[in-house]
Amino acid sequence: QLGEGGMMLRWEDRFVVHTDCLRRVRKRLRSLGSLERQLLKAALERLETYETVAEVARKAEEAAELVRDGNTVAFTGAGISVSCGIPDYRGTTGVDAREELGHAAGEDVGTPADGNEETETDYGALRPSRTHLLLADMERSGYLSYTISQNCDHLHRRAGTSPQKLTELHGNVFVEYCEDCWVEYERDYEVDLYSTNCYKEKWFVECDTCGHGHYTGRLCDECGGKLKDTIINFGDNLHARVLGGLDKAEEMSRRASCVLCLGSSLQVTPACTLPLMGGSLVVVNLQATALDRKSTVRVHAEADLFMSLLWEALRNPKQSATDLSAGGGRGREEAAEMLRDVSVSGRKRSTNSRAASGISGRTRSKRKKTM
């Protein structure tokens, strides 16, 4: 599509193809005209590719061997929460992609379809995905020693992952902490609604690095110090101690014999450097990632599908990938159904209207580094 700025690329729904089809398309690049070739290359930068259930099952078997053999750490991104109702960032229908590809004149891709700017994801209403639940199961079963997440949605904790075995690098919308004694408070409401953009409240102090607020207006029960949200906005440094902290994440990554990367583009620094500190690298993501060439096992699939197959492979090590992908076992049938329902269909974002009564400027702006 051509416009005032030259060449543009647009699509209305997810842009997903099978890996075999992608290989065929790449072979035709040289036979295309210059404009067609540029458009196709631009599309390939956002393209999501998927593999057959049989291929994912085979790779799940390979990953299971790596998990069984040593100390495994999970590294998760926004992709594992898409099925819960939270949009990712770099997917073909992600937040960043919609902004970059929203070329129509006057189009505001940040405004919900109903026109209500107060409409946004209600984190309190979200429920964990299969991936969240199975990671917690793996921890309880001794297959997973630690989880490092770039997400702020609280879903790992809600699924049963132990806070003592979890680092939430970019914060948690339900946790605030004391700036003096570091005590953390887990709430049943989103604490950042009382901090980020509450410019008119007496406790608001603009952060020098991100321009938002972090103080929530509450005080510590232990020492009386001021409480702050845990959210890492663009420009903020990662917490060294809060929510597990970067220091602990680095320690556990170095000790890992296998790092399981799920639903992340692995582009946001310094978080994306952590998987490289460990041993074998398993990368599960529909789009290309920055660490694809360094991966031991690379899987093009939804995290929910892969984790279902991995869990079955861990529990049934004697059952071959061929048998499993052919429908042997209830888990494979569920996985195949998941591929049809989740991987091919368009993504839907769950929204809920939020009233801003009592607090000035509660609307959450897009600033969380969830990738």
Side-chain angles (χ1 to χ4, degrees), residues 12 29 39 44 64 95 97 128 131 146 203 209 237 245 288 303 332:
E12 299 300 324
L29 271 175
L39 282 170
L44 293 180
V95 175
T131 296
Y146 205 76
W203 61 78
T209 58
N237 293 322
R332 290 305 175 276

Side-chain angles (χ1 to χ4, degrees), residues 204-259:
F204 181 83
V205 177
E206 184 175 311
C207 177
D208 291 335
T209 58
C210 71
H212 294 291
H214 289 293
Y215 290 105
T216 64
R218 288 177 287 277
L219 302 177
C220 177
D221 294 337
E222 300 293 327
C223 71
K226 295 179 180 179
L227 299 186
K228 302 175 72 173
D229 68 37
T230 56
I231 299 302
I232 300 298
N233 304 316
F234 286 98
D236 290 337
N237 293 322
L238 300 186
H239 298 296
R241 298 169 54 182
V242 174
L243 297 175
L246 179 61
D247 293 348
K248 182 69 172 180
E250 290 179 343
E251 174 191 345
M252 297 306 295
S253 295
R254 290 192 183 97
R255 291 170 54 185
S257 60
C258 176
V259 179

Side-chain angles (χ1 to χ4, degrees), residues 59-74:
K59 293 183 177 181
E61 289 277 333
E62 295 179 16
E65 290 301 316
L66 298 174
V67 170
R68 289 192 201 98
D69 289 343
N71 180 34
T72 300
V73 168

Side-chain angles (χ1 to χ4, degrees), residues 111 235 261 341:
T111 302
C261 299
D341 293 345

Side-chain angles (χ1 to χ4, degrees), residues 244-301:
L246 179 61
D247 293 348
K248 182 69 172 180
E250 290 179 343
E251 174 191 345
M252 297 306 295
S253 295
R254 290 192 183 97
R255 291 170 54 185
S257 60
C258 176
V259 179
L260 192 60
C261 299
L262 304 168
S264 174
S265 63
L266 300 169
Q267 295 185 31
V268 178
T269 57
C272 67
T273 63
L274 295 172
L276 292 176
M277 296 180 183
S280 301
L281 187 62
V282 178
V283 176
V284 183
N285 201 53
L286 287 173
Q287 288 181 305
T289 79
L291 301 185
D292 281 358
R293 294 185 178 182
K294 298 182 179 181
S295 62
T296 307
V297 180
R298 178 60 171 98
V299 187
H300 293 270

Side-chain angles (χ1 to χ4, degrees), residues 109-267:
V109 296
T111 302
D114 61 7
N116 180 7
E117 294 183 359
E118 291 291 330
T119 300
E120 60 181 41
T121 301
D122 182 355
Y123 287 89
L126 299 178
R127 293 296 175 264
S129 67
R130 180 177 290 263
T131 296
H132 292 104
L133 295 170
L134 290 178
L135 286 174
D137 285 342
M138 285 179 62
E139 179 195 309
R140 286 189 289 267
S141 301
Y143 291 117
L144 187 67
S145 60
Y146 205 76
T147 298
I148 302 168
S149 181
Q150 299 174 94
N151 302 338
C152 337
D153 50 33
H154 195 65
L155 292 176
H156 279 298
R157 295 188 183 211
R158 193 165 286 166
T161 294
S162 169
Q164 291 72 39
K165 295 184 177 182
L166 172 68
T167 287
E168 294 166 295
L169 291 171
H170 297 154
N172 184 317
V173 295
F174 293 96
V175 178
E176 56 188 332
Y177 74 102
C178 176
E179 66 174 355
D180 294 329
C181 70
W182 303 93
V183 171
E184 298 176 15
Y185 297 87
E186 184 175 317
R187 310 297 191 184
D188 59 1
Y189 50 84
E190 299 168 46
V191 300
D192 63 327
L193 295 179
Y194 297 84
S195 58
T196 305
N197 294 327
C198 296
Y199 304 105
K200 297 181 181 179
E201 302 301 335
K202 60 183 180 181
W203 61 78
F204 181 83
V205 177
E206 184 175 311
C207 177
D208 291 335
T209 58
C210 71
H212 294 291
H214 289 293
Y215 290 105
T216 64
R218 288 177 287 277
L219 302 177
C220 177
D221 294 337
E222 300 293 327
C223 71
K226 295 179 180 179
L227 299 186
K228 302 175 72 173
D229 68 37
T230 56
I231 299 302
I232 300 298
N233 304 316
F234 286 98
D236 290 337
N237 293 322
L238 300 186
H239 298 296
R241 298 169 54 182
V242 174
L243 297 175
L246 179 61
D247 293 348
K248 182 69 172 180
E250 290 179 343
E251 174 191 345
M252 297 306 295
S253 295
R254 290 192 183 97
R255 291 170 54 185
S257 60
C258 176
V259 179
L260 192 60
C261 299
L262 304 168
S264 174
S265 63
L266 300 169
Q267 295 185 31

